[in-house]
Amino acid sequence: MSSTANGVEGRRFPPPLASHEDVVKDPTLFWDTLRNFHSQLGTKYMVPVIGGRELNLHVLYVEVTRRGGYDKVVSEKKWREIGTVFDFSPTTTSASYALRRHYSSLLHQYEQVYFFKQQGPSITSAATGTIDGKFDCGYLVSVKVGSEILNGVLYYPDEAASSIATNQSCTTLIPFNPKPLNSGRRNRRRRRRGGDPSRPKPNRSGYNFFFAEKHSALKSMYPDREREFTKMIGESWTNLSQEERMVYQSIGLKDKERYQRELKEYKERTNPRQQKELL
């Protein structure tokens, strides 16, 4: 499946309104420039919540850039170290994962402009894209602009804001199978025979969450080696430390609890007389 975007000419990242040193020293200036940055790009901007508290994005930006920026923090596995700065509650088991996800979506491009002083890719022609995968909140996509291949995530309009605001994970990967153009009649029959749309979505394992995150990163680094991704991700999972693996397993356990709770409510709602048997 492909899509084309026309009429986007000569677009770059908006120029910085202050120096990196100034936004580090002045939180108010940081927030003003960050809001302006997202406004200029037309991207969603909401302050995320972790452990019941709003995440201080200024502190997060300072700590990550102090360690050399997002890519270096990822490669050196410094997210847990950065998490200690925020004094999260001991019950917040996925803090490192959440910090990385929120930084990637809200601060990574800002970092490119203010810390690395990049202008961003110039879009001078029509863009064509393909959907590489589907997950609960949207799609993994590749977009070709001229000779450049860009990778990223497209969220459903309501899902992106709600996932950031509630700190819910939004990375469960689902295989994507494009529908044939001549299958309309067949699909209508399937919809009539299909399952209950109100039935809860099945839970995903910790590995599923890890796979989705790693796949997106590999796609941007090795766009021509997609057939090797499954093996590469499996090896990366094997090489994780016990603590690192527990982050994803904890997310998987929470999703399992969510599914069991929602399934119980669903069964009680649809089969109230058989409640005891179903439990």
Side-chain angles (χ1 to χ4, degrees), residues 51-83:
R53 295 187 302 177
E54 288 190 348
L55 177 62
N56 189 325
L57 294 177
H58 178 250
V59 173
L60 181 60
Y61 174 78
V62 170
E63 293 298 324
V64 171
T65 54
R66 188 166 66 86
R67 291 168 174 81
Y70 175 83
D71 291 336
K72 189 171 184 179
V73 169
V74 170
S75 64
E76 296 182 0
K77 301 179 179 179
K78 296 284 189 178
W79 293 107
R80 191 176 188 85
E81 175 184 308
I82 292 173

Side-chain angles (χ1 to χ4, degrees), residues 131 133-140 153-156 159 170 172:
I131 296 176
K134 180 181 180 182
F135 63 113
D136 285 349
C137 302
Y139 297 91
L140 301 175
V153 178
L154 291 178
Y155 288 99
Y156 297 121
E159 295 288 351
C170 205
T172 304

Side-chain angles (χ1 to χ4, degrees), residues 161-191:
S162 62
S163 66
I164 292 173
T166 61
N167 193 33
Q168 293 176 347
S169 181
C170 205
T171 56
T172 304
L173 190 68
I174 303 170
F176 177 71
N177 297 308
K179 299 178 182 178
L181 295 176
N182 60 353
S183 63
R185 184 176 302 175
R186 184 183 304 171
N187 288 337
R188 284 195 293 272
R189 287 199 297 267
R190 286 179 180 174
R191 280 198 293 272

Side-chain angles (χ1 to χ4, degrees), residues 56-125:
N56 189 325
L57 294 177
H58 178 250
V59 173
L60 181 60
Y61 174 78
V62 170
E63 293 298 324
V64 171
T65 54
R66 188 166 66 86
R67 291 168 174 81
Y70 175 83
D71 291 336
K72 189 171 184 179
V73 169
V74 170
S75 64
E76 296 182 0
K77 301 179 179 179
K78 296 284 189 178
W79 293 107
R80 191 176 188 85
E81 175 184 308
I82 292 173
T84 62
V85 175
F86 292 89
D87 193 27
F88 292 122
S89 166
T91 60
T92 310
T93 56
S94 59
S96 298
Y97 172 80
L99 287 175
R100 174 174 175 172
R101 180 162 60 90
H102 292 314
Y103 194 96
S104 176
S105 63
L106 296 171
L107 293 171
H108 191 197
Q109 290 182 323
Y110 179 90
E111 169 196 284
Q112 300 302 304
V113 174
Y114 282 81
F115 184 57
F116 290 109
K117 298 179 174 58
Q118 294 184 7
Q119 292 182 317
S122 176
I123 302 177
T124 58
S125 60

Side-chain angles (χ1 to χ4, degrees), residues 15 21 28 43 54 81-82 87 95 109 117 145 147 174 178 192 200 205 216 220 228 239 244 256 268:
E21 292 74 18
T28 301
T43 51
E54 288 190 348
E81 175 184 308
I82 292 173
D87 193 27
Q109 290 182 323
K117 298 179 174 58
V145 183
S147 61
I174 303 170
R192 284 195 292 269
S205 69
S216 179
S220 63
E228 304 174 44
N239 293 331
E244 291 171 330
K256 182 178 180 181
E268 290 175 350

Side-chain angles (χ1 to χ4, degrees), residues 226-261:
E226 191 168 359
R227 293 183 179 180
E228 304 174 44
F229 286 0
T230 299
K231 180 180 179 181
M232 294 166 70
I233 294 172
E235 292 175 350
S236 296
W237 175 260
T238 302
N239 293 331
L240 289 180
S241 67
Q242 187 63 27
E243 288 185 350
E244 291 171 330
R245 194 174 299 179
M246 279 299 297
V247 171
Y248 298 95
Q249 291 174 340
S250 296
I251 298 172
L253 288 174
K254 288 182 180 180
D255 195 43
K256 182 178 180 181
E257 293 172 358
R258 183 273 311 165
Y259 175 64
Q260 291 175 338
R261 181 180 67 255

